[in-house]
Amino acid sequence: MPPSSLQDAYSQTPLVLAAEGNHIQCIRYLCTLDGVNIRSQDLFHRSAIHWAAHNGNLDAVCDLFSAGADVSATTTSGETALHWACSSTRISQSATRRLLLEALIARGASTSQLNYLQQRPVDVLVDDDTDVIAFLLAAQEQV
């Protein structure tokens, strides 16, 4: 059975599950296989790039981008990987979050994309570090 056809009851593929579980070695391996859909999404349109960003895993985000992940993919609630990186409580260090945000924006993530509550990524930011806030606001002004 080709890897692209493997999925659970929620349409989660092995790649999405590996990213959700923050298993970088699995992500890297799956990205090398023929037939793996790097852009696959589950029933709620969450993709591997969403989970990698949510986990604050910059290496996984970069690996997924190299394999063709879509930075503009949105969930059913209109959230991008940038929203998830901003709202994640799994990222405990501001410096880590800033590097992740920089990588996402450098790949074209929209700082003005609104989710279903009409919130931009900066609006869902859980980090009160003024450097991170200033970076996001400056990035938004450059659009």
Side-chain angles (χ1 to χ4, degrees):
M1 183 175 296
S4 61
S5 64
L6 297 173
Q7 52 185 281
D8 67 11
Y10 299 101
S11 298
Q12 293 178 304
T13 63
L15 181 60
V16 171
L17 291 169
E20 181 180 0
N22 206 20
H23 300 293
I24 186 66
Q25 295 303 326
C26 291
I27 293 167
R28 286 182 173 152
Y29 173 72
L30 289 166
C31 285
T32 67
L33 296 179
D34 288 336
V36 171
N37 181 359
I38 302 301
R39 297 176 175 213
S40 64
Q41 296 177 301
D42 66 15
L43 287 177
F44 302 102
H45 294 192
R46 300 172 300 197
S47 64
I49 198 70
H50 285 95
W51 286 112
H54 178 71
N55 286 323
N57 193 329
L58 182 59
D59 290 336
V61 165
C62 291
D63 290 343
L64 289 164
F65 280 144
S66 293
D70 181 8
V71 72
S72 62
T74 57
T75 65
T76 53
S77 32
E79 295 173 326
T80 63
L82 189 59
H83 281 94
W84 280 39
C86 286
S87 66
S88 177
T89 56
R90 294 185 185 181
I91 305 171
S92 60
Q93 296 182 345
S94 294
T96 301
R97 188 182 312 273
R98 166 91 188 241
L99 289 172
L100 184 60
L101 299 180
E102 287 175 354
L104 290 165
I105 291 169
R107 289 291 188 143
S110 171
T111 57
S112 59
Q113 173 74 34
L114 299 176
N115 66 13
Y116 77 108
L117 293 174
Q118 302 303 301
Q119 297 168 313
R120 303 163 298 168
V122 70
D123 298 326
V124 298
L125 185 64
V126 294
D127 196 326
D128 61 359
D129 184 300
T130 55
D131 182 52
V132 174
I133 296 167
F135 168 74
L136 271 175
L137 291 174
Q140 185 171 323
E141 289 175 8
Q142 292 176 0
V143 175

